[in-house]
Amino acid sequence: MNGAKRQTLRQAVRARRARLGMKSQTALAEAAGVSPRTVARLEAGQRVGETSETLIEAALSWGTGSIDAIYSGGQPTPAERLELEPEQPSREEQLRELKTMAAALREYANELEERLNALSQEGDEQQAV
């Protein structure tokens, strides 16, 4: 790798670390789960293992292959964002679920009332004896 590409990689990794609040190579290494030496080698423009590259890319919120793209003179790609909030059910689905829950609660209330009546009758019968 020529000096210009090494410099580009170094600058890209350092700028991304700074943007993400990682002030040191050690901070990036900890976030990626690799050794600080591996991050230092990468920032020096040396190749590191494929697994290490993937872990570092993930820690930098770059898509897989971003480091190779920089080595080739390209730009890193953003990692795909995960949907943080689950998709909300439609209004109809929510209403259907609420109606089902209300029916189950009515049924449970009826069972409780039957039990209460049965216990009251038993108590009345025992008092009469």
Side-chain angles (χ1 to χ4, degrees):
M1 172 182 285
N2 68 34
K5 289 183 180 179
R6 286 182 187 179
Q7 183 65 22
T8 300
L9 179 63
R10 181 180 301 116
Q11 288 173 346
V13 172
R14 287 182 178 171
R16 188 63 176 171
R17 274 198 295 117
R19 178 175 290 144
L20 296 174
M22 294 181 225
K23 296 181 181 184
S24 67
Q25 292 177 344
T26 301
L28 174 55
E30 288 174 1
V34 299
S35 72
R37 184 172 178 251
T38 298
V39 173
R41 286 186 10 242
L42 180 70
E43 286 191 9
Q46 298 174 17
R47 295 303 300 232
V48 298
E50 186 177 331
T51 301
S52 294
E53 281 187 8
T54 301
L55 292 169
I56 293 169
E57 288 167 338
L60 293 172
S61 296
W62 283 346
T64 302
S66 289
I67 291 173
D68 285 336
I70 295 168
Y71 276 128
S72 301
Q75 295 292 317
T77 57
E80 290 185 31
R81 292 189 174 262
L82 298 175
E83 182 116 359
L84 297 179
E85 293 186 27
E87 188 175 313
Q88 295 295 319
S90 69
R91 185 168 192 264
E92 291 78 23
E93 291 171 323
Q94 290 176 355
L95 287 172
R96 197 170 28 254
E97 182 179 352
L98 288 173
K99 286 179 182 179
T100 301
M101 291 170 65
L105 285 172
R106 280 191 297 275
E107 185 177 323
Y108 185 64
N110 288 337
E111 288 177 22
L112 289 175
E113 189 172 355
E114 288 174 11
R115 285 183 182 171
L116 182 62
N117 288 338
L119 287 173
S120 292
Q121 285 178 349
E122 287 175 16
D124 291 343
E125 291 172 1
Q126 287 180 356
Q127 286 180 0
V129 175

